Amino acid sequence: DVKVTQSSRYLVKRTGEKVFLECVQDMDHENMFWYRQDPGLGLRLIYFSYDVKMKEKGDIPEGYSVSREKKERFSLILESASTNQTSMYLCASRGGGGTGELFFGEGSRLTVL
Amino acid sequence: GIQVEQSPPDLILQEGANSTLRCNFSDSVNNLQWFHQNPWGQLINLFYIPSGTKQNGRLSATTVATERYSLLYISSSQTTDSGVYFCAVESIYYGNNRLAFGKGNQVVVIP
């Protein structure tokens, strides 16, 4: 079974702090994704990566950056957290070819005070 | 981008009842998945079904790609079926890796 693991289930941070959300997958997938989920807005794509050190902006990249130094790991970085970044963050991965099944991690619920 | 509409937005079922959830999309797709979000927030894969019909236990799904819709059937519902069901699609026009999600179907199964 595919396993996508997110480092923290719940985080509480203060405005202005730098926040790292880590995601690791164990299926040698080329593609990895970060989404955020908010009530009434559904899931929105922040960034995705299709290979090591390669990334593309999703629909809402502002205020976020990402890092993919190793194939299995994809990090989401909030350089200076703000209260409007309080949300559920979901990491996902899938194999190459641009199609195929997407697998999600358990989610990280971030609260910025 | 591609539009995804799920209906009904909310559904309350008596345990043992059957139900159908619908996903309409506005363009041709090469990827369609159904997920169930459990109470803890994780999205669980139900079906990868860009076309055709699949069954998995009490759940089944059908996608009619030419008519741009997919249906998820829940039979003999159980309280563990409660949660939000999401449809996600990938348009053949808007590039790989850009799946669009519907707003979800909130399902509550009462004993």
Side-chain angles (χ1 to χ4, degrees), chain A residues 68-108:
Chain A
R68 189 146 180 224
E69 297 296 320
K70 293 186 177 181
K71 191 174 186 181
E72 67 271 17
R73 186 179 299 269
F74 192 34
S75 302
L76 181 68
I77 303 153
L78 289 67
E79 294 289 342
S80 177
S82 63
T83 54
N84 63 13
Q85 292 178 309
T86 292
S87 187
M88 170 70 110
Y89 290 88
L90 295 159
C91 176
S93 75
R94 73 174 180 184
T99 58
E101 215 170 339
L102 194 67
F103 295 90
F104 279 90
E106 295 175 317
S108 299

Side-chain angles (χ1 to χ4, degrees), chain A residues 1-3 26-27:
Chain A
D1 279 353
V2 175
K3 184 77 171 171
D26 66 356
M27 283 301 292

Side-chain angles (χ1 to χ4, degrees), chain B residues 13-54:
Chain B
L13 296 170
Q14 198 75 42
E15 197 168 27
N18 303 328
S19 65
T20 301
L21 309 179
R22 186 176 180 104
C23 173
N24 291 335
F25 42 94
S26 60
D27 269 320
S28 298
V29 299
N30 56 14
N31 183 1
L32 188 146
Q33 283 186 254
W34 282 97
F35 298 91
H36 176 219
Q37 189 166 38
N38 66 22
W40 298 272
Q42 186 170 10
L43 277 90
I44 308 298
N45 292 37
L46 297 177
F47 294 102
Y48 172 71
I49 187 167
S51 64
T53 297
K54 290 186 177 180

Side-chain angles (χ1 to χ4, degrees), chain A residues 18-113:
Chain A
K18 191 168 185 176
V19 181
F20 292 88
L21 299 177
E22 304 282 337
C23 176
V24 177
Q25 51 93 4
D26 66 356
M27 283 301 292
D28 203 36
H29 282 168
E30 284 80 3
N31 303 291
M32 298 187 72
F33 306 79
W34 278 105
Y35 291 87
R36 66 177 280 178
Q37 183 180 20
D38 301 287
L41 297 176
L43 277 82
R44 294 178 291 167
L45 180 63
I46 304 172
Y47 268 98
F48 68 92
S49 168
Y50 52 90
D51 202 349
V52 174
K53 297 190 187 295
M54 307 304 287
K55 61 188 179 186
E56 280 199 33
K57 293 180 181 179
D59 300 319
I60 51 163
E62 297 80 17
Y64 303 94
S65 61
V66 290
S67 172
R68 189 146 180 224
E69 297 296 320
K70 293 186 177 181
K71 191 174 186 181
E72 67 271 17
R73 186 179 299 269
F74 192 34
S75 302
L76 181 68
I77 303 153
L78 289 67
E79 294 289 342
S80 177
S82 63
T83 54
N84 63 13
Q85 292 178 309
T86 292
S87 187
M88 170 70 110
Y89 290 88
L90 295 159
C91 176
S93 75
R94 73 174 180 184
T99 58
E101 215 170 339
L102 194 67
F103 295 90
F104 279 90
E106 295 175 317
S108 299
R109 191 169 293 279
L110 171 67
T111 300
V112 182
L113 302 175

Side-chain angles (χ1 to χ4, degrees), chain B residues 10-111:
Chain B
D10 299 286
L11 187 62
I12 299 175
L13 296 170
Q14 198 75 42
E15 197 168 27
N18 303 328
S19 65
T20 301
L21 309 179
R22 186 176 180 104
C23 173
N24 291 335
F25 42 94
S26 60
D27 269 320
S28 298
V29 299
N30 56 14
N31 183 1
L32 188 146
Q33 283 186 254
W34 282 97
F35 298 91
H36 176 219
Q37 189 166 38
N38 66 22
W40 298 272
Q42 186 170 10
L43 277 90
I44 308 298
N45 292 37
L46 297 177
F47 294 102
Y48 172 71
I49 187 167
S51 64
T53 297
K54 290 186 177 180
Q55 178 145 13
N56 184 3
R58 295 181 296 102
L59 301 181
S60 63
T62 295
T63 297
V64 183
T66 53
E67 297 187 22
R68 300 182 183 171
Y69 73 89
S70 182
L71 302 174
L72 179 68
Y73 304 96
I74 305 173
S75 64
S76 303
S77 58
Q78 299 177 359
T79 55
T80 52
D81 295 330
S82 296
V84 184
Y85 291 81
F86 288 99
C87 169
V89 302
E90 191 167 11
S91 167
I92 64 173
Y93 300 116
Y94 295 116
N96 291 336
N97 286 325
R98 294 183 181 273
L99 280 84
F101 284 77
K103 295 281 173 67
N105 308 95
Q106 174 83 55
V107 174
V108 176
V109 181
I110 53 177

